Amino acid sequence: WFFPNALLSLFDVQDEIVLTFGRDLLKFLAFSGIFLAVALSYTGALQGAGDTKKPMSIAFVTQIVIVLGLCEAFRLLGMLEAHHIWTAILLGHASRLLLTYGVYRRGRGIHIKVELDSRHG
């Protein structure tokens, strides 16, 4: 939000169209990245507690069903443009955070028993 041109200059972007798309994308990523980073923290906590199935299912639903589903809906409506794709990604990351947080808050993952093979350690 505050210095997109400086970030884009790291990639030696000169074309005005690319700069416009880049600035717009960085605005979406400013929020989307926060949602994803927090969601991945909860995902890591769940996986560390031995719950790998729920995070995998959440990732599938949010990244495949929601993101691609929204893109397909935009396409069918004849309005699939870059900002629509970025909106779908933003909504996918926000929904991933909400779903992962919900699973984490239930706290059922902390009671999963992790079996380790005694021969390896």
Side-chain angles (χ1 to χ4, degrees):
W1 275 93
F2 301 110
F3 44 91
N5 291 336
L7 288 171
L8 293 170
S9 71
L10 295 172
F11 299 97
D12 196 29
V13 176
Q14 304 288 327
D15 189 295
E16 189 56 40
I17 294 173
V18 175
L19 284 170
T20 300
F21 276 110
R23 283 189 293 264
D24 290 345
L25 174 58
L26 287 173
K27 289 177 184 177
F28 280 91
L29 291 179
F31 294 102
S32 183
I34 293 168
F35 294 152
L36 185 58
V38 176
L40 290 177
S41 296
Y42 286 118
T43 295
L46 290 169
Q47 290 174 334
D51 188 352
T52 58
K53 290 181 182 177
K54 288 184 199 95
M56 179 195 64
S57 298
I58 290 169
F60 178 80
V61 167
T62 58
Q63 301 307 297
I64 303 299
V65 176
I66 291 177
V67 174
L68 293 181
L70 285 171
C71 287
E72 178 63 7
F74 286 133
R75 186 191 69 79
L76 290 171
L77 294 170
M79 45 190 265
L80 183 61
E81 296 177 12
H83 66 276
H84 293 112
I85 295 169
W86 299 330
T87 299
I89 292 169
L90 175 69
L91 293 173
H93 288 167
S95 61
R96 185 172 184 172
L97 170 58
L98 292 173
L99 291 171
T100 306
Y101 178 73
V103 169
Y104 177 83
R105 288 292 295 163
R106 276 193 240 130
R108 295 182 188 148
I110 62 172
H111 302 294
I112 293 173
K113 185 176 179 182
V114 178
E115 302 278 337
L116 298 176
D117 187 347
S118 62
R119 294 176 290 170
H120 294 97

